Amino acid sequence: MTIHLKVATQDANVLETMRHEVSAVDSRLPVLELKTLRNHLEASFDLWIVRTAARMFTIFGAVALVLAMVGLYGLRAYTVVRRTREIGIRLALGAKPSDARG
């Protein structure tokens, strides 16, 4: 049998107090395990799977963001390299720098 109790206090000795109260009611009742909800969740395999999946998706998202940034930088650099000669020729033929920009 499993019993779940919600306690309003955050006293450090609450587990020992509950063990004592159970034995005061019936000393033959075995109390096999007492743990807080935080300890229960930290030992939960299902929660570990969810957290691991969240970390993996965060890493995949960061890698995708870096790849997109590198791709946009490469595209912009390629465009600048292709237009550098054209802008130089325009300036050599007498265009103003503001005219060569467009």
Side-chain angles (χ1 to χ4, degrees):
M1 176 176 16
T2 303
I3 298 174
H4 299 275
L5 297 174
K6 181 177 180 181
V7 182
T9 183
Q10 297 211 2
D11 186 17
N13 299 327
V14 71
L15 295 179
E16 286 303 317
T17 304
M18 288 192 307
R19 185 182 302 274
H20 176 71
E21 291 299 321
V22 168
S23 65
V25 171
D26 188 357
S27 61
R28 295 177 296 152
L29 286 175
V31 178
L32 300 176
E33 183 178 24
L34 285 176
K35 58 184 172 180
T36 62
L37 181 62
R38 181 175 306 278
N39 291 342
H40 176 70
L41 290 177
E42 287 174 357
S44 172
F45 184 69
D46 295 335
L47 186 62
W48 179 83
I49 289 174
V50 170
R51 286 181 179 170
T52 302
R55 286 184 191 116
M56 285 176 39
F57 288 134
T58 301
I59 291 169
F60 291 153
V63 168
L65 182 63
V66 168
L67 287 174
M69 289 172 34
V70 168
L72 289 175
Y73 174 79
L75 182 65
R76 188 66 177 161
Y78 176 72
T79 304
V80 168
V81 167
R82 286 198 52 164
R83 299 238 15 235
T84 300
R85 181 178 169 131
E86 174 192 343
I87 292 171
I89 292 171
R90 284 185 183 195
L91 290 176
L93 292 176
K96 297 177 187 168
S98 61
D99 295 334
R101 213 181 299 157

